[in-house]
Amino acid sequence: MHGLDTLAQTTPWRRRHPGEKALLALGLVGAAVALPPWPGALVVGAVALALLLGPLRLRPGQVLRAVRAPLVFVVVGSVPLLVAVGGDPLVRWAPEGLGPAVALAGRATAALLCLVLFAASTPLADALPRLERLGVPAAVTEVAALVYRLLFLLLETAGTVREAQAGRLGFRTWRTTYRCVAGQAAAVFVGAFDRARRLEQGLALRGYTGSLRVQVDERPLSVPFVVASAVLVGAVVTVTLVLA
């Protein structure tokens, strides 16, 4: 997530309105879900990957780092379709599940690339404030922003604690490793509560009334980009239905 947010600050689409990019990315996600898995997932995934490597100018290694962790969940979710439980033997290979497993993995991977397309081009700070205009309660967006910010602070704290433990040879054996991991978890847990308490006190001293007001840059929608996005999604649907 942190890497994606960093990429989103530097891509050529950084200054575009989030609604434009959401129309393109979510349109492709809808196509990946609604169209037949073959060749729909392949076409949608290829288009999303081409946009990531082309207009967004990401390197293949950056795309791979962005998708490798979610791909683990895709694989874990597809494997159970290949296994049947019951009968003799109790757990056995189910060849009839190969087709659904491949279809599920294809759809999920294509949708994942589409979501990465949006995340790698739109910083969260641009998207969250505009959600209120769509009817999302302000409390939801504020909690999401605070959690997003605190998550990286906690990860930084955990990394600092781990470096300190490693410098003291805390990971020499399994026994010392378990002790260090427990100490690291305790330090992060206590630090999270302390940081949350100080954040609450700071907001109260600044006259917090239940809403965090932030300045949102006004960016006009690009009609050519919106039209091109709609044409691209329509082309994906047409090609898929022709090839299906």
Side-chain angles (χ1 to χ4, degrees), residues 22 35 68 88 98 108 122 130 149 157 180 194 203 215 219 229 232 238:
L35 293 175
R68 61 186 179 185
D88 187 22
L98 181 60
T122 310
R130 290 178 169 84
R149 173 59 180 163
T157 301
C180 287
D194 179 65
L203 290 174
Q215 183 177 0
R219 300 174 187 171
S229 299
L232 179 60
T238 302

Side-chain angles (χ1 to χ4, degrees), residues 35 38-40 43-44 47 232-244:
L35 293 175
W38 173 257
V43 174
V44 173
V47 170
L232 179 60
V233 174
V236 167
V237 174
T238 302
V239 171
T240 300
L241 294 180
V242 169
L243 297 178

Side-chain angles (χ1 to χ4, degrees), residues 71-92:
L71 280 179
V72 174
F73 291 94
V74 173
V75 173
V76 171
S78 303
V79 167
L81 297 176
L82 302 175
V83 178
V85 179
D88 187 22
L90 180 62
V91 180
R92 65 186 186 279

Side-chain angles (χ1 to χ4, degrees), residues 1-73:
M1 295 291 289
H2 184 266
L4 281 177
D5 208 53
T6 302
L7 289 176
Q9 298 287 347
T10 58
T11 55
W13 289 1
R14 166 67 176 84
R15 305 304 301 175
R16 289 194 173 278
H17 194 286
E20 303 172 6
K21 295 172 282 189
L23 174 65
L24 174 60
L26 297 182
L28 291 175
V29 169
V33 174
L35 293 175
W38 173 257
L42 181 61
V43 174
V44 173
V47 170
L49 185 60
L51 292 173
L52 287 169
L53 300 177
L56 287 187
R57 301 176 187 172
L58 299 185
R59 297 189 300 273
Q62 292 174 319
V63 177
L64 180 60
R65 285 192 295 271
V67 302
R68 61 186 179 185
L71 280 179
V72 174
F73 291 94

